[in-house]
Amino acid sequence: MEKNISQPKPLKSVAGNNSRKFLTFVLNNEIYGIDILSINEITDFSNITRVPMVPGYIAGMVNLRGNVVPVIDLAQRFSEQPSERTRRSSIVIVDIKSNEQSLVLGIIVDEVSEVIDVSLLEIVPAPEFGTKIRTDFIQGMGKVDQRLLVLLNIENILAIDELSLF
């Protein structure tokens, strides 16, 4: 059996009750993680209806089984260039709590990787500087298999109060 060395090495899982599950995904060649409890589902990148006069990071709306769901281009929300859409691009549907309400939003990612367990002992606070994205968007850094994984605070990234300022 030959090993394909061109593929990135998958992150190993850490089993146990003192861990949390994160969905990992790729965005502009970086790996990020989101707490699995925030995720409703993952859908293929489909037709997004553009909405006029909204910020560039709002990609538009999708019809998800009869429900209209706003979709955020996560790369642009991070003040980066939008990533190239491929057949591996996906929309991750998340549930955000805002003012005692539950809001369903979609985020565009380049590629969904896997669900991993990260030990709570291996999660360290977010750095105060030196990241490509705002530090309040980072929940912490997970030490997984000799690498650091950026764990996102999806509720801060998709804060309705901030998104609705435009």
Side-chain angles (χ1 to χ4, degrees):
M1 178 188 284
E2 289 184 314
K3 199 174 196 181
N4 185 349
I5 59 173
S6 64
Q7 293 281 349
K9 190 174 178 183
L11 300 171
K12 291 182 183 174
S13 296
V14 178
N17 292 335
N18 295 325
S19 66
R20 291 181 41 202
K21 292 186 181 303
F22 291 88
L23 174 74
T24 60
F25 60 88
V26 178
L27 185 67
N28 282 340
N29 298 315
E30 299 287 335
I31 298 177
Y32 297 98
I34 297 177
D35 192 318
I36 198 77
L37 295 176
S38 300
I39 298 172
N40 284 351
E41 66 183 278
I42 300 165
T43 67
D44 290 336
F45 187 79
S46 59
N47 292 335
I48 295 177
T49 303
R50 187 85 177 114
V51 178
M53 300 179 67
V54 296
Y57 57 79
I58 299 178
M61 305 285 186
V62 293
N63 182 349
L64 187 64
R65 291 182 298 284
N67 295 313
V68 176
V69 177
V71 177
I72 307 298
D73 185 322
L74 197 56
Q76 284 192 295
R77 180 72 174 121
F78 291 166
S79 299
E80 295 182 15
Q81 292 294 332
S83 48
E84 183 180 330
R85 303 295 174 239
T86 68
R87 62 181 178 82
R88 293 182 174 248
S89 297
S90 298
I91 300 174
V92 178
I93 306 298
V94 297
D95 192 14
I96 303 299
K97 306 290 186 243
S98 176
N99 299 330
E100 302 300 320
Q101 290 184 335
S102 180
L103 302 169
V104 177
L105 299 166
I107 57 172
I108 300 172
V109 301
D110 296 344
E111 178 180 345
V112 172
S113 298
E114 62 185 326
V115 175
I116 62 168
D117 291 321
V118 179
S119 168
L120 295 177
L121 299 173
E122 297 297 318
I123 298 175
V124 297
E128 294 296 320
F129 62 91
T131 63
K132 292 182 180 180
I133 61 176
R134 289 178 19 192
T135 55
D136 64 320
F137 287 179
I138 302 173
Q139 176 181 334
M141 304 296 287
K143 298 180 201 174
V144 181
D145 195 26
Q146 304 297 319
R147 295 188 286 181
L148 286 177
L149 173 66
V150 178
L151 305 174
L152 298 176
N153 183 329
I154 199 67
E155 291 193 0
N156 283 355
I157 294 168
L158 302 177
I160 298 304
D161 296 341
E162 188 174 324
L163 292 177
S164 63
L165 290 176
F166 296 96

